[in-house]
Amino acid sequence: MNEIIASVNRYGALFLSGTISTLTLSFLTVLFGVIFGTMFAMMKLSKKKILNVPANIYIEIIRGTPIFLQLVLIYFGLPQIGVRFPNIDGFAFFPECMSALIALVMNSTAYVAEIIRAGITSIDKGQTEAARSLGMPENMAMKLIILPQAYKNILPALCNEFVTIIKETAIVSVVGYQDLMYAAQQVRIDTFKVFPPLLVAGAVYFVLTFTTSRLIAVLEKRWARSDA
Amino acid sequence: MHNEVLIEVNNLQKSFGENHVLKDINATIHKGEVVVIIGPSGSGKSTFLRCLNLLEMPTGGSVIFEGINITDKDCDINQHRQKMGMVFQQFNLFPHLTVMQNITLAPINVKKMKADEANELASKLLTKVGLLDRADSYPKQLSGGQKQRIAIVRALAMEPDVMLFDEPTSSLDPEMVGEVLAVMKELAAEGMTMAVVTHEMGFAREVGNRVLFMEDGVIKEEGTPEQIFKNPKDVRTKEFLNKVL
């Protein structure tokens, strides 16, 4: 116990910056995941083969391969094909950050696309018909009628995706992104002690995910009430 | 009186896969006319109505609306749907919007009407159906009858040339049917052109100018309400009316 407190005292700043990095990365991942996920969901729902086939292939491949493999492929693969992120003054480890973000967004997009697709298909067909009968073109009906309802329905699922992402981001420490897991590893190497840093990191992860889930549960209850 | 043709339906066909729902339908709806479509369930009357604004795409034949063939591939149907209001059995109000927003959304976004102009029009229509005090409510706070009256107002806010009613009272509690029919009667009295699929024979008799009896994807008989209800010629029409009256 004392060792844990000592570890936090000495490396508190490192843990804190790691936690902030983890949260920032998770938030950006979900944000871009929702943007691209919406695009892929629409492509998958499209009747045009040229749109729905690529979306299907992408989603199946991403969901059918390990995220670790995807991350390493992006980190080492992008420079091989000529995509290099420059080192930026005042932004340490920019290339690592970009690789981590790209890999996570690519991964999350596939999962979020499925969530959004389910959200869209859950909206009654009569809603589209009513919108179209008023003369709305298809994309306007989607934007004004279907998506607002779909997003509201899937908000809990999206929040859960955020919780999942918080945990999954731990993997980006292997390519040198300085997240919470990376901080814990640094402290472990520095102190030759295994348990204190890892247990601290574990506790922080748990507090992050647990409070987020509780928050979702409370919000869900409130939404359910407003629907009554 | 009703001379100007508003909708002309020629050899209309609709199949869902193997299922031939509409077999060669010919009909005309004149300006200012109230056409009531009756018939047993599964006779294709709803499908026929939904073909008029292409919510169902016909598999054959043509629909001419205000002189334009809207079944033509190059026709921009969104343009013409603005002139064809539709009221659904399940109301289909937008649950995430207030009553006011439900009504003004299409005028503002589709017709590019100014917001205060649309609000004014909506208030006027809401007053007419006696629901102005519900302008800021959400659909879930309304009764079925209120929902359907709002749905009618929503369609009217686009200032359509014809109103299509797809069994507007079929999912209402009996005590709420009257308030919706009253609004429809008033609309008919004002000269609105209407096509109404319904099981309300009283409404058909009282408000309809013409009644179409459909069965098995064809119009078996058509005529004035007088003639259809008092003196049906077709044996199937007689059987149907005996069952429902």
Side-chain angles (χ1 to χ4, degrees), chain A residues 124-138 140 144-146 148-149 152 226-228, chain B residues 50 53 55 77-78 81-82 84 86 88 92-97 105-106 109-110 112 140 154-155 158:
Chain A
D124 184 68
K125 218 171 130 250
Q127 292 290 309
T128 310
E129 289 185 350
R132 299 303 305 275
S133 79
L134 290 162
M136 288 189 201
E138 200 173 357
M140 189 192 284
L144 297 178
I145 305 300
I146 306 305
Q149 296 183 59
K152 196 187 167 202
S226 79
D227 271 340
Chain B
R50 290 160 57 84
N53 66 351
L55 276 188
I77 185 60
N78 296 321
R81 279 190 182 136
Q82 295 176 35
M84 309 171 106
M86 187 159 207
F88 300 86
N92 296 342
L93 292 180
F94 307 131
H96 61 303
L97 301 175
L105 189 74
N109 288 282
V110 179
K112 308 294 174 201
K140 64 189 169 226
R154 179 177 67 179
M158 288 298 282

Side-chain angles (χ1 to χ4, degrees), chain B residues 34-70:
Chain B
V34 177
V35 176
V36 181
I37 302 145
I38 60 171
S41 41
S43 58
K45 47 192 196 309
S46 278
T47 308
F48 168 57
L49 194 77
R50 290 160 57 84
C51 278
L52 295 181
N53 66 351
L54 304 196
L55 276 188
E56 299 294 354
M57 200 60 200
T59 36
S62 62
V63 178
I64 318 286
F65 174 59
E66 298 184 325
I68 293 161
N69 181 359
I70 57 170

Side-chain angles (χ1 to χ4, degrees), chain A residues 138-155:
Chain A
E138 200 173 357
N139 49 6
M140 189 192 284
M142 184 54 88
K143 198 178 99 196
L144 297 178
I145 305 300
I146 306 305
L147 283 182
Q149 296 183 59
Y151 282 135
K152 196 187 167 202
N153 288 353
I154 62 174
L155 218 45

